[in-house]
Amino acid sequence: MTLLFRILFALFLLLFFAKGQGDVVIRLFSSLFDTLLPPQPWLWGGLLTLVWLGALALVQRAFPRSRRAAVISHTFAVWFAVALVSVPFAGLWHQLALAAVGVALAVVFVRLAPRPVPACPASLSHRRLWCSFWNVNLSELLWLTSLCVYAGLGAAASDTDHYELRTAQALRSTPEDAYRVGERSLATTPRLFALRCRLMASEPAGLGETLFEQPVPPRVSASMLIPSESFSPADYPADSLYAFLQTPRRTGEKALDYFQRCAHRAGMKPGPAADYYLCALLLERRLERFVAALRCVYPDGDRAGHRLPRFYAQAVILHQKRRTNPTWHYKDNAMSENYRNYSEMGDTLSSVRHRYNLLRRSYGNTYWWFYDFATALNAQTK
């Protein structure tokens, strides 16, 4: 094999382990050492790359002139790399399919294995290294491309799996980086939603200002709890949320009841515990109960000039507009006008589906849209 192929193959392994699957590699190492490792994907990915290249070098020394051995060893190295990072997410059938495709690739490229590279011309003998670097066989490039595609398609972790891992790892080290994980994607899971809620709750703005800026899964308030199942200590443990709210959760306790207990224990005053309870009520679409709780947390919220957190204010405006005798009188002229535009835009379409899509483009990050279309949202995710 040419020097260029070896360099490209080493670069491919490094990018695969450190960039593409760095979060999974950290999770595997954390599980191996039974401890939380710092999220340094280039360090751990580079370490695995060196191990892989060292093993290939040993094979090459044992079979220095065997083209078949080179093809089989490199294909096996890529298969083992993909199988390793797929362990936390793939079942037996996925692993068997990976092995079958890997064997098929090895068989095909053993037959197409590149012939020995022609010797450099005499005129270039003084530049033999440069010549061997560029004298690449076309079948080598085809082989390397196939291995790259195989690795990219074969790794079992989905986009949301990566989002979950990267968010959890960022929460433990650099929380500001967690905001950039999957920021342009509408895909979410209950675990990812819970991790993002934990992140937002620790910020000065709080959940009342940020909750609906992210995609919302269908399990409503239960999605705010971090699932207790974890593959390794690299996951963000559920106990971390209980420690943050300073209240342990009782066995079998429902999410809404737990958040209510946390808020009352914290004195029903503005803060993370109250935010979790109020946002849980919003997710459950329990407006009457929400307004009653909000009055306890913000007793001066209906006074002139007092500004409520954005999504709390949207919920109060919604309550005032859709109740004959609202129990809360909150004034925000700009927000009331915005709600009027939202209602008028929706009234222009009779089809629920068209109204859902049209309003989502302009008002998808408002509580009004969530309240009106949460049922349709849940139906789409089933």
Side-chain angles (χ1 to χ4, degrees), residues 8-22 42 45 49:
L8 290 176
F9 187 81
L11 181 61
F12 154 66
L13 282 180
L14 178 61
L15 292 176
F16 178 75
F17 282 131
K19 186 67 175 177
Q21 303 293 323
W42 291 103
T49 301

Side-chain angles (χ1 to χ4, degrees), residues 57-280:
L58 292 177
V59 174
Q60 186 176 4
R61 290 189 63 180
F63 306 94
R65 297 185 178 181
S66 174
R67 292 180 289 109
R68 291 186 176 183
V71 170
I72 293 174
S73 61
H74 282 73
T75 305
F76 178 82
V78 175
W79 164 76
F80 192 67
V82 177
L84 178 65
V85 299
S86 297
V87 167
F89 313 100
L92 177 61
W93 289 110
H94 183 92
Q95 296 286 19
L96 290 176
L98 280 179
V101 175
V103 170
L105 284 175
V107 170
V108 169
F109 284 102
V110 160
R111 298 178 62 88
L112 298 177
R115 302 298 172 188
V117 178
C120 293
S123 60
L124 295 177
S125 59
H126 63 289
R127 292 185 291 175
R128 190 172 302 277
L129 178 62
W130 179 261
C131 178
S132 63
F133 180 82
W134 285 108
N135 200 0
V136 183
N137 192 294
L138 181 60
S139 62
E140 279 188 346
L141 295 180
L142 180 60
W143 174 30
L144 181 59
T145 302
S146 300
L147 293 179
C148 292
V149 173
Y150 169 67
L153 296 179
S158 64
D159 288 343
T160 53
D161 290 328
H162 286 300
Y163 296 159
E164 289 177 7
L165 286 175
R166 292 169 187 169
T167 301
Q169 291 164 8
L171 273 171
R172 299 198 311 270
S173 57
T174 52
E176 61 276 8
D177 292 343
Y179 281 107
R180 293 189 288 271
V181 176
E183 60 184 344
R184 297 183 180 180
S185 173
L186 293 177
T188 190
T189 65
R191 183 189 299 274
L192 180 59
F193 181 75
L195 291 171
R196 286 171 171 169
C197 286
R198 170 63 182 85
L199 171 68
M200 294 172 177
S202 61
E203 295 296 316
L207 283 170
E209 283 283 345
T210 55
L211 179 66
F212 294 98
E213 290 181 351
Q214 59 173 320
V216 181
R219 290 174 53 193
V220 292
S221 61
S223 297
M224 300 179 76
L225 292 172
I226 299 174
S228 57
E229 315 87 24
S230 63
F231 174 78
S232 76
D235 287 331
Y236 199 78
D239 291 347
S240 298
L241 175 61
Y242 308 151
F244 176 67
L245 296 177
Q246 300 180 351
T247 306
R249 186 185 175 201
R250 297 167 181 167
T251 303
E253 187 175 25
K254 293 183 178 180
L256 187 58
D257 296 336
Y258 168 67
F259 294 134
Q260 181 182 21
R261 189 161 57 85
C262 291
H264 282 284
R265 184 169 180 174
M268 289 297 287
K269 57 185 179 181
D275 275 347
Y276 264 94
Y277 177 46
L278 292 172
C279 288

Side-chain angles (χ1 to χ4, degrees), residues 308-347:
L308 291 171
R310 176 172 41 146
F311 295 119
Y312 298 165
Q314 289 180 359
V316 171
I317 294 294
L318 180 67
H319 176 262
Q320 291 177 176
K321 299 297 183 181
R322 298 193 180 183
R323 297 294 188 275
T324 304
N325 297 309
T327 58
W328 183 283
H329 298 282
Y330 176 75
K331 292 185 179 180
D332 187 321
N333 294 332
M335 187 169 290
S336 296
E337 179 65 18
N338 199 18
Y339 176 77
R340 186 180 68 82
N341 294 335
Y342 165 82
S343 299
E344 290 179 354
M345 183 181 292
D347 291 341

